[in-house]
Amino acid sequence: MTLGHWDVTPKDLFLNRRRFLAAAGAGAGLGLAGFSPARAAADLTPTPKDAVTSYNNFYEFGTDKEDPARNAGSLTLSPWSVEVGGLVERPGTYALADLLTGLTVEERIYRFRCVEAWAMVVPWNGVPLAAVLEKVGIAKGARYVAFETLYRPEEMPGQASPILDWPYREGLRLDEAQHPLTLLATGLYGESLPPQNGAPLRLVVPWKYGFKSIKSIVRITLTADQPPTTWNQMAPEEYGFYANVNPAVDHPRWSQASERVVGSGLFGGRQDTLPFNGYETEVAGLYAGMDLRQNY
Amino acid sequence: MPGMDRLNSVLRRVPAWPIYAIAAAYAAWRFWLAVTGQLGPDPVDRLTADSGTLALQMLIAGLTISVLRKTIGLNLLRYRRAIGLTAFFFAAAHFLVWLLLDLALRWDQILADLSKRPFVMIGMAALLLLLPLALTSNNMSLRRLGALRWRQLHWLTYPAVLLAALHHLIGVKVVTAAPVAYLAATVLLLVARPALMRRRS
Ligand code: HEM
């Protein structure tokens, strides 16, 4: 069991830090022009923790929202290693702790928007994916990053049925992967990730639909070509490779113009969905000149 | 079958009204749980799924009644009206949850869904087919229409249940056993009924 500093930060300190983050000015922190996780977090109220940890889509543990919390407890989280390969300078099988040593775990309060038109706000803890990629070294010719979830049917009962083509796969373009908002999360609410939320290591790409944020990662591969991704393979006309949150482009079976706020109660109603889930200023530049209706 | 005769004569003394009472109490109880935050973090989703599933189950239960009578001689005909009306009650509740709580009267989105999305349109068609059946499920309508026309009108049940089962199947994100089983059961019952009728005549 490895302890990150998020494990030992006292709650009040953690909360103070959040307030500090919220108060910090634009551009502070990472020293990146035009980007501030702090600003992104300023007006967000986190969804209650019990909702974040009891309402999950993680089909490896069943298709009902309650199934992951019910069935993921038996997942063996330690030892955990990640096989890093493809177009990287230092390929190999990294123990999770080795992959993360030297990197600072940060807190990021992000909007989370599921393709099913519900939304949450989650205080994640994690490291920028860019920092991990830098650590393993991006080799020449790499243009995409592919991820794979653990395949272990003994512990993941959902994998017994062929509802999806296991193991679950996702991918990002390299510039998306290197974007400062893109996080490899190891925790939420200042504690280690619960298994139902994708322990011990998951991706969080806050401007994309939730299914891009792959859980329980065991493989990271840098590639020259766009990697196949699970939902896109299953229903290409419904789930694109990009899957950027976009209120103007509907899912064929439901509208993406608005979203239900999880935790807001029976009469919570809906709120408008924002382009790129509210991160338009930070990420729209990645897609300059692209037709986002074609590349949904 | 003397056993079945005895069962049928016992059933003749069991009234149908508890079906209405149980359905109403169940709906009130679920709604209360949802209002008080006891249905989990997304009560709207839970109520939609619960009401839709119950409506479909009751519709299918309604279809089994004539088949049960023809095959094993079990006579549940006197419960068919209560079962059908209860199915309509849950289908209407399902629709109202969608309209008032899920889409929360966002009319532009409601109209877009109703005009563009096959799974919603099919569900709506099922509900609209059930509406005249619910309105005529009373003795006065039966007398007014006459038995033959009333029965012809109520043949609408069959396309309605088929559409409802189809709505469920194409509404899901991944195909699991339940929607396939409901559709298979519906098709089986729809095929079994005329086959059994023919055999008798
Ligand atoms: C006879 C009428 C209907 C029946 C029997 C029915 C049945 C069902 C069933 C069984 C489900 C799946 C529940 C689950 O997730 O387990 C469902 C889902 C749903 N139905 Fe219906 N339905 C009917 C009419 C309608 C109508 C009229 C609408 C709206 C206009 C509607 C909207 C929906 C929606 C939005 C879902 C949720 C889909 C999702 O996001 O998973 N249904 N319905």
Side-chain angles (χ1 to χ4, degrees), chain A residues 51 54-55 59 66 116 163 231 234 239 250-255 258 260 262-263 265-267 270-272, chain B residues 31 34-35 41-47 101-103 106 109 113 116-117 119 170-176:
Chain A
S54 68
Y55 189 82
Y59 283 10
E66 301 78 20
E116 295 168 341
I163 46 172
W231 281 101
M234 182 177 108
Y239 310 100
D250 287 346
H251 184 280
R253 283 181 285 138
W254 57 85
S255 165
S258 63
R260 257 192 341 269
V262 172
L266 187 61
F267 305 107
R270 290 186 164 238
Q271 65 186 21
D272 289 335
Chain B
F31 190 73
V35 171
D42 193 356
V44 174
D45 191 43
R46 283 286 285 274
L47 287 185
L101 300 175
D102 188 354
L103 290 190
R106 287 182 170 236
Q109 220 176 307
D113 274 11
K116 286 203 300 215
R117 284 172 228 298
F119 117 88
I170 65 175
V172 295
K173 243 173 84 195
V174 293
V175 176
T176 51

Side-chain angles (χ1 to χ4, degrees), chain B residues 16-177:
Chain B
W17 66 260
I19 296 178
Y20 300 109
I22 291 168
Y26 179 77
W29 177 61
R30 297 297 287 180
F31 190 73
W32 170 250
L33 290 182
V35 171
T36 53
Q38 298 175 73
L39 277 193
D42 193 356
V44 174
D45 191 43
R46 283 286 285 274
L47 287 185
T48 304
D50 279 7
S51 55
T53 305
L54 260 171
L56 185 58
Q57 287 167 344
M58 297 298 279
L59 286 173
I60 292 173
L63 289 186
T64 61
I65 287 179
S66 58
V67 172
L68 284 176
R69 198 164 63 107
K70 301 267 163 46
T71 50
I72 60 170
L74 179 64
N75 185 356
L76 300 171
L77 277 183
R78 55 195 304 253
Y79 304 106
R80 192 156 65 177
R81 176 182 291 173
I83 287 174
L85 281 172
T86 304
F88 178 77
F89 167 69
F90 283 116
H94 178 70
F95 172 69
L96 289 175
V97 169
W98 176 79
L99 192 76
L100 303 176
L101 300 175
D102 188 354
L103 290 190
L105 295 178
R106 287 182 170 236
W107 288 106
D108 46 341
Q109 220 176 307
I110 289 166
L111 295 176
D113 274 11
L114 283 173
S115 59
K116 286 203 300 215
R117 284 172 228 298
F119 117 88
V120 174
M121 290 158 77
I122 291 175
M124 201 66 224
L127 186 64
L128 289 178
L129 287 179
L130 291 177
L131 184 62
L133 308 189
L135 293 177
T136 56
S137 285
N138 54 72
N139 293 338
M140 199 171 69
S141 299
L142 180 59
R143 269 196 309 276
R144 274 231 193 106
L145 286 166
L148 181 64
R149 273 201 300 161
W150 188 91
R151 217 176 316 127
Q152 281 171 343
L153 178 67
H154 282 247
W155 280 336
L156 286 178
T157 315
Y158 308 120
V161 186
L162 195 60
L163 288 173
L166 206 61
H167 159 78
H168 184 14
L169 184 66
I170 65 175
V172 295
K173 243 173 84 195
V174 293
V175 176
T176 51

Side-chain angles (χ1 to χ4, degrees), chain A residues 67-114:
Chain A
D67 285 341
R70 206 180 292 141
N71 300 330
S74 55
L75 184 64
T76 306
L77 297 176
S78 186
W80 192 277
S81 55
V82 182
E83 199 182 317
V84 182
L87 299 169
V88 291
E89 283 162 357
R90 289 171 287 283
T93 301
Y94 290 78
L96 181 60
D98 296 339
L99 200 64
L100 299 176
T101 44
L103 305 179
T104 310
V105 172
E106 305 169 24
E107 185 195 73
R108 301 281 182 89
I109 302 173
Y110 282 159
R111 293 189 187 83
F112 184 91
R113 170 60 156 79
C114 178

